[in-house]
Amino acid sequence: MDQHGKHSESHHTETEGNGEEPSIAPGGIVVGVDGSEHGQCALIWAAREAERRQLPLHVVTAYSVPIFAASGLDGGYATVDDSVIRDGAEAIVKHALEKVSGYAIDVDGSVENGDASGVLLDLSETAELLVFGTRGRGGFVGRLLGSVSSALPAHSKCPTVTVPLFCADRLGETTEDKHIKAERAKAGPHVIENVVAVGVDGSEQARVAVLEAAEQAQRMGAKLRVICAVPEYSGSLAWVPAPLDREALFKDIRIQLDAGLAWLKSHFPTLPVETQLLDGSPVEVLVEMSRGVELVVLGTRGRGGFAGMLLGSTSDGVLHHAKSPVLVVPDREDPRLADRVKFGPMLGAA
């Protein structure tokens, strides 16, 4: 796209779809599309984010040519005509490029031959952000989510954003999905606050997520809401002594949250931040909060945190049920973590 708002269109093909690297290595924001309503929501969110970050947008779809065992005794194989499937995939990308042509961004597109989740994971090596929709039926997104819905956020080399169809209306999109319509009718109207909510559990992974969430809140001109939800002790935690003082536990967590807030404000002095310490299941708390915020942010594989199980399995639950986009931040080094200990108590610190 040039300075006058024109977009470029390019199509690339992975050599054989056999696990080799895709022929492209785009930076910026990569969004997966499949022609479904889910993919359209992801596309619009990604285009808006590309504008916010002033990064290029790369639109990608992927396909695999089905191979069927031939009947008879020859033991051969029959393949579907590659050109028919590819033409359909190219039409999807072309339509997507047209849909975002009005945004002030550099944008191009490609068709990749290979498993969709594998293609996107390869692209995450060079991308700054990976965006995709949820619960697509068939095609690209259908291959991505469903049984492997948590695999992409968990294994991506860059942060991922999952955009649910539920938030189509806030993106200016429409949906004919009867389940979404029924759910919206049941829930009633919700005011969407300009808030980025991030879940924390005292783990290092959560601190990485908080830093990413703070940067995102700044980009969006939003308030940052730091959420710690503490579930009731039950099940595997039944061994905890009965006299455990929950009030004392909350007091200890509050001290750590306040110390974490002071640390965060030292790096983001002008960002409005609030913390909430809540009783309840982290999944339920964050899913309910997603109804009224712009974005929910989580880390991956939190362990040893004071709330227990917030990340990892909790991020799976939030991804499946959130009503807002969900940003999942992979584990990574960040030099800003080094001075956290100076600001007060933190889990695992001496």
Side-chain angles (χ1 to χ4, degrees):
M1 175 172 176
D2 59 24
Q3 293 179 345
H4 302 290
K6 296 179 180 178
H7 69 270
S8 61
E9 180 178 344
S10 58
H11 296 299
H12 308 272
T13 304
E14 192 179 11
T15 52
E16 294 294 337
N18 56 2
E20 296 181 17
E21 292 291 320
S23 58
I24 54 172
I29 295 174
V30 172
V31 58
V33 297
D34 69 343
S36 70
E37 292 178 336
H38 307 76
Q40 297 302 299
C41 289
L43 176 66
I44 296 303
W45 194 95
R48 292 181 180 182
E49 186 64 15
E51 275 195 334
R52 274 193 288 264
R53 299 194 187 198
Q54 297 184 310
L55 289 175
L57 177 66
H58 181 75
V59 179
V60 62
T61 195
Y63 72 97
S64 297
V65 179
I67 299 176
F68 305 96
S71 59
L73 302 175
D74 57 5
Y77 293 90
T79 61
V80 174
D81 185 359
D82 174 277
S83 63
V84 173
I85 300 177
R86 185 174 182 81
D87 288 348
E90 290 183 344
I92 287 171
V93 170
K94 182 179 180 181
H95 178 263
L97 293 173
E98 291 170 351
K99 192 174 181 70
V100 297
S101 61
Y103 288 85
I105 54 176
D106 289 316
V107 57
D108 67 355
S110 70
V111 172
E112 297 295 327
N113 184 2
D115 177 75
S117 55
V119 166
L120 283 189
L121 285 176
D122 285 338
L123 296 181
S124 76
E125 297 274 359
T126 55
E128 215 165 292
L129 187 69
L130 207 56
V131 183
F132 44 90
T134 59
R135 290 188 294 280
R137 293 184 179 84
F140 183 69
V141 179
R143 297 287 300 282
L144 268 180
L145 296 163
S147 63
V148 293
S149 60
S150 60
L152 200 55
H155 298 290
S156 173
K157 302 301 182 184
C158 70
T160 62
V161 173
T162 308
V163 183
L165 184 57
F166 188 88
C167 62
D169 54 348
R170 67 168 86 174
L171 293 167
E173 293 293 295
T174 58
T175 176
E176 297 305 315
D177 188 296
K178 62 182 181 181
H179 300 293
I180 298 295
K181 286 184 171 182
E183 191 174 359
R184 282 183 184 158
K186 183 178 179 181
H190 274 76
V191 175
I192 308 299
E193 296 181 89
N194 192 21
V195 168
V196 172
V198 56
V200 301
D201 68 349
S203 66
E204 191 84 337
Q205 290 84 358
R207 285 188 277 275
V208 171
V210 164
L211 291 170
E212 183 76 25
E215 291 174 356
Q216 185 65 23
Q218 280 195 332
R219 280 189 288 265
M220 297 174 73
K223 177 191 292 185
L224 180 65
R225 183 175 296 159
V226 181
I227 305 295
C228 179
V230 184
E232 291 290 340
Y233 290 124
S234 62
S236 62
L237 295 176
W239 54 266
V240 174
L244 179 75
D245 188 339
R246 194 163 174 81
E247 188 175 325
L249 172 66
F250 268 67
K251 183 177 179 181
D252 287 345
I253 295 175
R254 171 52 65 190
I255 291 171
Q256 293 185 52
L257 280 175
D258 289 345
L261 177 60
W263 163 70
L264 188 63
K265 293 293 285 184
S266 74
H267 292 286
F268 298 89
T270 62
L271 180 67
V273 185
E274 63 183 27
T275 60
Q276 291 185 6
L277 177 56
L278 304 170
D279 246 318
S281 154
V283 172
E284 292 176 3
V285 166
L286 289 169
V287 167
E288 182 57 34
M289 187 157 294
S290 73
R291 294 180 180 277
V293 301
E294 288 288 354
L295 184 70
V296 170
V297 182
L298 291 168
T300 55
R301 296 185 295 282
R303 57 182 71 86
F306 44 65
M309 298 299 289
L310 173 61
L311 304 175
S313 62
T314 295
S315 62
D316 292 350
V318 175
L319 281 168
H320 280 93
H321 301 290
K323 310 307 175 189
S324 72
V326 178
L327 171 62
V328 176
V329 185
D331 299 348
R332 60 188 182 194
E333 299 294 326
D334 192 306
R336 293 170 293 186
L337 296 172
D339 63 359
R340 166 61 181 86
V341 71
K342 298 176 184 178
F343 289 86
M346 56 188 287
L347 212 66

